[in-house]
């Protein structure tokens, strides 16, 4: 009974977001309020403790909100400076085959933007570019959403994976794990390995759907012909992706992997290496079905074009990559200076209203501050921006981040109450709501939990529109369920992260945004249906790979 009561805020969240299409910025404050009521009425927490833990949750959200702000600020600054237009124009001369364009722009460029910015920016940039190259708008939206899956776990310099780790860090410490950085590196690796295996399959599925649904003669031969190029591209992306995941951490796999693969794919496409001899074509525009076409002008304004060179346009991203590498590799020594919880490199609070919280924000270690906001300032003289352009970039960023900030504030505050409602903070003597929920799920599904774990991640992304929010909501729940069932916590948490990533394909927010960006408003249902199958295939392959390892008794920690 108490497990069902504890699930009420999450169940209500699913209903109002999936059923009534409420935005996360409204649904999650309601979920927090319901959680606070449950804490007070059933777990017998006093109001002071509820208030203190809520504020602690708000403080914990600062880290993620600043990353989102900095990542989107870079994108908007480049839009206003003319840098993004120069990057986009560079791609138009690479290949005239839509299959090759989709791999390079839809996946590789989208993966790079995901690694650098995340939070819905790949579809907003890549899909309109594909439309400009002649893709039917609904096809461009479909490709952008499906392909923005493998890179998502490491989007916005690793935010989803870092969030999943941060949500369970206290549990790791309680379990006696002292080297938590090594544990995070292990989690990063075990998210990357199955993702890399699935990567070429997802690219092929996207090509297959494109040629079957939108091709001139809808022949599958056009998908089969491009397999060699897909495999080459996947290897070019996945090798540095895996190396970064294994040795550097979650900040780099998508960013560095896509950057390297982008260069390789552009060069090979221009030279015709592994490019099919026959060219795939869309039907003539006059033959397009009505729902393929743009029904609105879209909400994206035209990019500023000042004729900037592609090299100068890419310099800010190069600076970002260099700063991240220099500050994240331990041997250089800067990591040991910045990644600390002591002043002046961190701000900390030990008690709120007399309640122990032990919060610390390592601002100097936050990639939103260093490098994103720093590089945003560097772009101003580098690209010779005018004051009005800078003002517009910052104003647009604040307006874009507002909704996400509200959702994260209350989403993380809700999870904080879930976690901190245990016997040390309540007058009922019960375990925390989180442990009670985890025990309920574990008892319900038992050994079948390996099938459920990635689906929970998908549901989290579906209802919230974000892999990061999914990891915020469910990482601690997944960890606790794994402990209850004696399953490898690292692999179950990896399933959660991957579930959140694949959930990007079908989440309501992304589908609505993609249709708005591509001008196909009214076709959201069609787009969701086309994305469900790839999402289910991704989930099944995740269970097959990681679940198979679990069934063999494999435990990466051991």
């Amino acid at each position: 009974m108490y497990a069902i009561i504890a699930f009420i805020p999450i169940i209500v969240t699913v209903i109002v977001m999936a059923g009534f299409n409420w935005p996360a910025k409204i649904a999650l404050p309601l979920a927090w309020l319901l959680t606070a009521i449950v804490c007070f009425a059933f777990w017998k927490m006093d109001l002071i403790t509820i208030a203190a833990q809520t504020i602690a949750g708000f403080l914990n959200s600062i880290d993620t909100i600043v990353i989102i702000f900095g990542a989107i600020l870079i994108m908007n600054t480049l839009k206003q400076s003319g840098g993004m237009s120069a990057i986009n124009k560079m791609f138009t001369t690479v290949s005239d085959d839509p299959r090759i364009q989709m791999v390079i722009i839809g996946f590789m460029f989208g993966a790079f933007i995901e690694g650098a910015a995340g939070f819905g920016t790949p579809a907003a940039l890549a899909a309109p570019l594909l439309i400009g190259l002649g893709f039917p708008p609904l096809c461009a939206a479909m490709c952008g959403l499906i392909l923005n899956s493998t890179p998502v776990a490491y989007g916005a310099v690793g935010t989803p994976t870092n969030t999943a780790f941060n949500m369970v860090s206290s549990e790791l410490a309680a379990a006696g794990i002292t080297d938590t950085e090594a544990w995070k590196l292990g989690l990063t690796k075990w998210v990357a390995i199955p993702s890399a295996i699935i990567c070429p399959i997802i690219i092929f599925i996207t090509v297959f759907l494109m040629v079957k649904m939108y091709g001139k003669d809808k022949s599958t031969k056009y998908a089969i012909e491009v397999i060699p190029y897909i495999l080459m591209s996947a290897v070019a992306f996945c090798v540095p992706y895996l190396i970064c995941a294994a040795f550097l951490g979650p900040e780099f796999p998508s960013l560095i992997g896509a950057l390297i693969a982008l260069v390789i794919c552009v060069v090979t496409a221009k030279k015709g290496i592994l490019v099919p001899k026959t060219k795939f074509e869309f039907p003539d525009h006059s033959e397009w079905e009505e729902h393929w076409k743009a029904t609105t002008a879209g909400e994206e304004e035209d990019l500023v074009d000042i004729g900037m060179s592609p090299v100068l346009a890419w310099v800010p991203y190069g600076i970002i990559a260099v700063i991240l590498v220099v500050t994240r590799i331990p041997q250089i020594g800067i990591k040991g200076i910045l990644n600390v919880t002591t002043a002046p490199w961190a701000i900390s609070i030990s008690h709120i209203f007399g309640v122990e919280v032990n919060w610390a924000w390592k601002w100097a270690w936050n990639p939103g501050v260093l490098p994103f906001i720093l590089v945003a300032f560097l772009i101003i003289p580098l690209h010779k921006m005018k004051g009005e352009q800078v003002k517009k970039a910052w104003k647009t960023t604040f307006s874009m981040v507002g909704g996400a900030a509200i959702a994260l504030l209350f989403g993380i505050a809700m999870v904080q109450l879930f976690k901190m409602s245990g016997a040390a903070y309540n007058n009922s003597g019960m375990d925390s709501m989180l442990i009670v929920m985890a025990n309920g799920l574990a008892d319900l599904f038992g050994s079948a939990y390996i099938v459920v774990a990635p689906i929970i991640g998908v549901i989290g992304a579906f209802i919230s529109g974000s892999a990061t929010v999914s990891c915020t909501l469910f990482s601690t729940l997944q960890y606790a369920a794994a402990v209850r069932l004696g399953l490898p916590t690292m692999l179950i948490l990896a399933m959660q992260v991957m579930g959140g990533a694949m959930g990007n394909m079908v989440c309501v927010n992304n589908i609505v945004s993609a249709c708005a960006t591509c001008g196909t408003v009214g076709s959201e249902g069609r787009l969701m249906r086309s994305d469900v199958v790839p999402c289910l295939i991704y989930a099944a392959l995740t269970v097959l790979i990681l679940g198979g390892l679990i069934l063999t008794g494999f435990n990466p920690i051991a």
Side-chain angles (χ1 to χ4, degrees), residues 235-278:
V235 169
F237 173 76
C238 291
V239 170
Y241 178 87
L242 287 168
I243 291 172
C244 289
F247 298 103
L248 298 180
E251 292 86 357
F252 301 104
S254 293
L255 186 69
I256 302 299
L259 188 60
I260 292 172
L262 199 53
V263 174
I264 294 172
C265 289
V266 167
V267 171
T268 53
K270 280 191 170 183
K271 293 182 178 294
I273 299 172
L274 298 179
V275 173
K277 302 300 180 185
T278 56

Side-chain angles (χ1 to χ4, degrees), residues 198-401:
I198 299 170
C199 175
I201 299 172
I202 285 297
I203 298 176
F204 174 77
I205 289 172
T206 311
V207 174
F208 179 85
L209 290 173
M210 179 178 76
V211 302
K212 285 295 289 182
M213 295 173 66
Y214 299 95
K216 191 172 185 178
D217 56 11
K218 304 188 188 310
S219 172
T220 57
K221 73 173 185 178
Y222 291 109
I224 295 170
E225 288 174 349
V226 82
I227 288 177
Y229 188 82
I230 289 173
L231 291 175
M232 182 276 297
S233 302
V235 169
F237 173 76
C238 291
V239 170
Y241 178 87
L242 287 168
I243 291 172
C244 289
F247 298 103
L248 298 180
E251 292 86 357
F252 301 104
S254 293
L255 186 69
I256 302 299
L259 188 60
I260 292 172
L262 199 53
V263 174
I264 294 172
C265 289
V266 167
V267 171
T268 53
K270 280 191 170 183
K271 293 182 178 294
I273 299 172
L274 298 179
V275 173
K277 302 300 180 185
T278 56
K279 181 185 173 185
F280 164 77
E281 294 180 327
F282 295 113
D284 185 82
H285 190 279
S286 62
E287 300 174 16
W288 287 4
E289 297 182 31
E290 281 304 311
H291 63 270
W292 294 9
K293 303 175 184 177
T295 54
T296 70
E299 297 180 358
E300 287 290 303
E301 59 184 329
D302 293 335
L303 297 175
V304 175
D305 185 2
I306 61 171
M308 184 183 297
S309 74
V311 173
L312 185 59
W314 278 98
V315 166
Y317 282 123
I319 296 173
I320 288 171
V322 169
I323 291 175
L324 286 171
V325 170
V326 169
T327 56
R328 263 57 181 178
I329 296 177
Q331 290 77 5
I332 295 177
I334 297 177
K335 179 179 180 179
I337 297 172
L338 301 181
N339 188 21
V340 295
T341 57
T342 55
W345 307 111
I347 303 169
S348 60
I349 296 175
S350 60
H351 290 80
I352 298 175
F353 303 145
V355 178
E356 185 176 357
V357 293
N358 292 324
W359 170 79
W361 181 44
K362 296 181 282 189
W363 65 268
W365 184 246
N366 184 290
V369 177
L370 184 69
F372 286 155
I373 292 177
L374 173 64
V375 173
F377 281 113
L378 293 178
I379 293 173
I380 299 170
L382 182 68
H383 289 178
K384 299 177 181 177
M385 294 179 67
K386 298 177 182 177
E388 193 61 33
Q389 292 174 310
V390 176
K391 181 181 177 181
K392 189 171 183 179
W394 280 77
K395 183 179 179 180
T396 303
T397 301
F398 274 111
S399 66
M400 291 175 69
V401 172

